Amino acid sequence: MNELFLFVRPPRPIWPFNGPATSFWPPLAFASMAAMLRQHCPDWRVDILDAPPLEMGWRSLEREIRARHPAVVAMGEEAVSCAECLRLARLAKNLGAKVIAGGCFFGHVAPQVLQTGFVDAVAHGEGENTIVELAHALRENSAAALDTVAGISFVRDGEVVRTKPRRLIKNLDDLPMPAWDLLPMQRYGAGSRNHPGLAAIESSRGCFDTCEFCVLWRQMGNFVSEQTRPYIRFKSVARLLEEIKIQTRDFGRRHLGWVDPCFNAHPQIPAELADSLLCKNISVGQCAWVRADCLVRDAKSGALATMVRGGLNEVYVGVERPDGDGLNAVHKTMTIPVVREAFEILAREHPQVFTLGTFIYGLPGDTPETVRAIFRLSHELEMSHAFFIPLTPLPGTPFWRDELWDDTGESFRDFNFLPSATRPGSRRDLEWALLLAAAFQWSPARLRTYLRGLRRGGARKRRVTMRLAARTAWFAAHGMLRGLLTGRRAGMIFPRWYES
Ligand code: B12
């Protein structure tokens, strides 16, 4: 029997604004890389163990890994779940597996991760081609073999070696269909009223902008002249349609979560796809991260209306800051008038679409007044809900510093994009200003936002809005206030099955 190459997503806490049914999306990265391995490395048995949707806690996970006895365990994570991944790495290593890591977090802390001794190789950037070569090299079991694999780091004679950069896949249509069959597809979004039959899907990789705080354009960026440059690639409409047909027909998926950093970057593809879905009578809800300027462009061309008819019912827009200086400081090439216009268009012409804006605070020089101004702006723009995200020193961004590394991974629990008093560099005055604004800043614009949320847009949008409002109130009163008063970490929710 062939040796097992096992992708594992370990148990982890839940982000407090997500419900249990939608906290875990199908891990597309694993499904995509597993498909590549199946296609190119028939001498491996490939599987994915996605513990959270199975409500599989640590004890069951350990039993499972012991029973399956993988030769390789592959993992990749958000910073916030670093502790879980290091725990998995230790477990897998002790059971005799080789351990590899990748993704938007590990790829930027490779030397530190390798020095824990639990990880054999770390992949940087796009994974599909790397993992195929890595699988061959791991079989050969030599530093010389690892050295030939582009886009990884590993340890040779006590030194961390980083191999030459990995070239990006030119045509995303060349990727095999993700190995959905290796995932417990029926579990994603099961029981969710607003995102039933949740699927993860990508129409593009990378971004054309270079927001300072963001890892996404870097993760899928093009490495030229010793620098990572923004670069964006798209799948064709025909390919996307095929993916959606399989996901809806064979796996009963009913809501597509677009994972693209910027779903509406292309002026035609999303609308052409929506048109094809309408022609083929495929009805799926969709949520996506979009850019305000592209949205305004698409409203003018009619593309936005087609996208909404085709199922787009939830959009998220990074607004970030009310002030030009703040926007410049984070390299955001967007202006507030454009953002305002985008939300106005959505509210006026597509009131059924749930709209979420995100704001960033905690830049050097921010004061409580900056936070209050951000809070005010969030209600002046006609969005359904706002998130206030503290500037987080993510590895890979200029805000990261090596001394923030922690071998246990525990301090990365603060990289949760939540207002909290324990994050490195957090400012209690700003957190208090946000909490007090939420409690006492009741402008007419804010009241209008809530009334609009109750009156316009239909039942689905009302449900999503009310649910988020309730979770926000709970988080502010329970997590944030308690965290600020006691100085203890608050926010992420450990599910009851976590250790089971
Ligand atoms: C879907 C998603 C979610 C879902 C589901 C999360 C889940 N755990 O199931 C929801 C909405 C619940 C969510 C929540 C959160 N998320 Co989230 N999420 C994403 C999103 C949009 C898509 C991930 C994806 O499928 N990408 C597509 C795949 C194909 O790309 P990829 O993951 O980069 O994988 C490629 C390479 O990186 C590499 N690779 C990846 N892993 C590995 C492993 C190996 C071994 C190898 C060799 C290669 C490799 O190869 C892959 C194929 O080329 C990303 C943004 C993004 N576009 O990536 C954010 C993102 C991962 N999330 C992020 C964050 C911060 C969070 C939250 C903490 C806060 C929040 N809500 O935003 C919570 C944490 C939740 C939790 N408990 O886990 C950040 C992470 C930043 C960081 N460095 O830590 C991201 C990058 C978004 C951002 N704003 O920067 N998230």
Side-chain angles (χ1 to χ4, degrees), residues 74-88:
M75 58 184 199
E77 226 36 78
E78 296 109 347
V80 70
S81 285
C82 176
E84 274 80 22
C85 263
L86 292 178
R87 182 171 173 180
L88 167 68

Side-chain angles (χ1 to χ4, degrees), residues 182-418:
L182 298 182
L183 292 169
M185 289 297 274
Q186 300 310 321
R187 302 298 290 254
Y188 302 102
S192 165
R193 192 121 186 252
N194 301 321
H195 307 89
L198 179 62
I201 180 164
E202 56 176 352
S203 74
S204 64
R205 284 186 176 175
C207 188
F208 56 81
D209 221 340
T210 56
C211 296
E212 196 75 334
F213 51 84
C214 181
V215 287
L216 296 177
W217 65 269
R218 296 177 167 101
Q219 184 65 6
M220 292 289 173
N222 205 12
F223 193 75
V224 265
S225 314
E226 300 301 307
Q227 262 193 342
T228 304
R229 307 259 168 88
Y231 191 69
I232 186 160
R233 294 160 290 161
F234 302 92
K235 285 183 180 169
S236 69
V237 172
R239 159 70 189 230
L240 290 169
L241 190 61
E242 196 49 37
E243 286 193 25
I244 296 172
K245 272 192 201 156
I246 300 174
Q247 295 233 46
T248 50
R249 189 190 57 211
D250 300 352
F251 296 100
R253 302 296 83 198
R254 291 165 53 204
H255 184 94
L256 303 178
W258 292 102
V259 302
D260 308 46
C262 180
F263 174 64
N264 61 349
H266 197 285
Q268 279 104 30
I269 290 176
E272 284 176 13
L273 176 65
D275 233 356
S276 309
L277 292 176
L278 288 163
C279 285
K280 301 255 177 281
N281 265 329
I282 299 176
S283 158
V284 268
Q286 294 163 52
C287 57
W289 282 94
V290 296
R291 269 179 73 101
D293 49 359
C294 300
L295 195 139
V296 172
R297 176 201 65 201
D298 293 348
K300 290 195 179 115
S301 71
L304 177 64
T306 313
M307 282 148 75
V308 173
R309 273 205 314 282
L312 186 65
N313 55 15
E314 219 170 296
V315 297
Y316 318 130
V317 180
V319 183
E320 319 310 352
R321 309 281 295 181
D323 52 318
D325 287 349
L327 287 169
N328 286 339
V330 294
H331 297 180
K332 185 97 188 176
T333 55
M334 191 82 59
T335 62
I336 292 302
V338 172
V339 174
R340 193 182 297 279
E341 191 182 350
F343 280 112
E344 271 168 20
I345 291 170
L346 286 164
R348 196 177 55 237
E349 293 170 21
H350 308 289
Q352 72 275 36
V353 176
F354 172 84
T355 56
L356 184 133
T358 58
F359 296 83
I360 194 163
Y361 70 94
L363 304 186
D366 275 2
T367 63
E369 182 42 40
T370 325
V371 171
R372 285 191 285 273
I374 291 177
F375 194 77
R376 260 196 312 277
L377 176 70
S378 74
H379 296 110
E380 285 162 14
L381 302 173
E382 296 182 37
M383 64 185 69
S384 319
H385 194 84
F387 276 148
F388 305 96
I389 299 178
L391 178 71
T392 305
L394 290 175
T397 70
F399 306 104
W400 166 253
R401 297 187 312 280
D402 281 346
E403 60 270 25
L404 295 176
W405 174 255
D406 159 21
D407 263 348
T408 67
E410 280 298 320
S411 59
F412 289 104
R413 293 200 187 281
D414 284 318
F415 287 46
N416 52 17
F417 284 28
L418 295 171

